[in-house]
Amino acid sequence: SSTGQYIYIAGTGTAMYYSTDYGNLFLQTTYNNLAASKWIALAMSSTGKRVYMLGTTDINTTTNWRLHISSNYGASWTQRPANLGLDDITTAVPLNICCSGDGTKILFTDARAGSSGKVHSSGDSGTNFNTFSIAAGVALADDCCMSSNG
């Protein structure tokens, strides 16, 4: 969060850990067996209330990449359905995610086998997305960032 009160840490084959007290104590989330997961990227709103994770909940597969969303400081999560083109790692691998200060605007990038990647954007906290191709000649968009007002 912008104050440092809320911190989230996740990785491949590890649970996601979070702190609500400026990093003095980290707790492990129990969401969807995160210990057996591959997490690519995290983003959160300036208050820490909205958190977004890109990854898969099965460390033994290279499929099922999804966007996972919390709107209550990581207490509970929802998983976006497989309609963002992230079904198969051979088609798309999520690379990075960012969001606006209030967390309502989201942008994430992916890589696609045999072509340039895609950029996915939402202006309604991840309910709907627009997807567009990265400019010709740009192989991958490895990173993204967004201003606080999106």
Side-chain angles (χ1 to χ4, degrees):
S1 60
S2 63
T3 64
Q5 179 179 356
Y6 296 93
I7 302 168
Y8 297 87
I9 299 171
T12 298
T14 64
M16 187 183 78
Y17 294 88
Y18 66 98
S19 173
T20 60
D21 63 359
Y22 302 92
N24 291 310
L25 174 67
F26 279 88
L27 302 171
Q28 181 177 336
T29 184
T30 56
Y31 169 66
N32 208 4
N33 189 23
L34 287 179
S37 304
K38 295 177 188 175
W39 299 108
I40 302 297
L42 295 165
M44 85 170 105
S45 64
S46 62
T47 63
K49 184 175 181 179
R50 294 190 174 277
V51 186
Y52 303 97
M53 294 190 303
L54 286 172
T56 178
T57 54
D58 186 353
I59 197 167
N60 298 312
T61 185
T62 55
T63 60
N64 298 318
W65 299 103
R66 300 288 184 265
L67 173 63
H68 304 265
I69 301 171
S70 174
S71 58
N72 57 7
Y73 301 93
S76 63
W77 296 84
T78 57
Q79 179 177 289
R80 286 284 289 135
N83 62 354
L84 295 177
L86 296 176
D87 307 6
D88 188 338
I89 195 170
T90 61
T91 305
V93 179
L95 296 175
N96 214 330
I97 188 166
C98 58
C99 67
S100 59
D102 65 3
T104 60
K105 297 174 182 77
I106 308 164
L107 185 73
F108 74 90
T109 60
D110 71 44
R112 292 171 183 264
S115 68
S116 62
K118 303 280 184 183
V119 175
H120 309 271
S121 65
S122 173
D124 57 9
S125 304
T127 301
N128 298 291
F129 278 86
N130 293 316
T131 299
F132 49 95
S133 295
I134 297 171
V138 178
L140 298 174
D142 291 338
D143 209 346
C144 61
C145 63
M146 183 180 292
S147 66
S148 62
N149 64 358

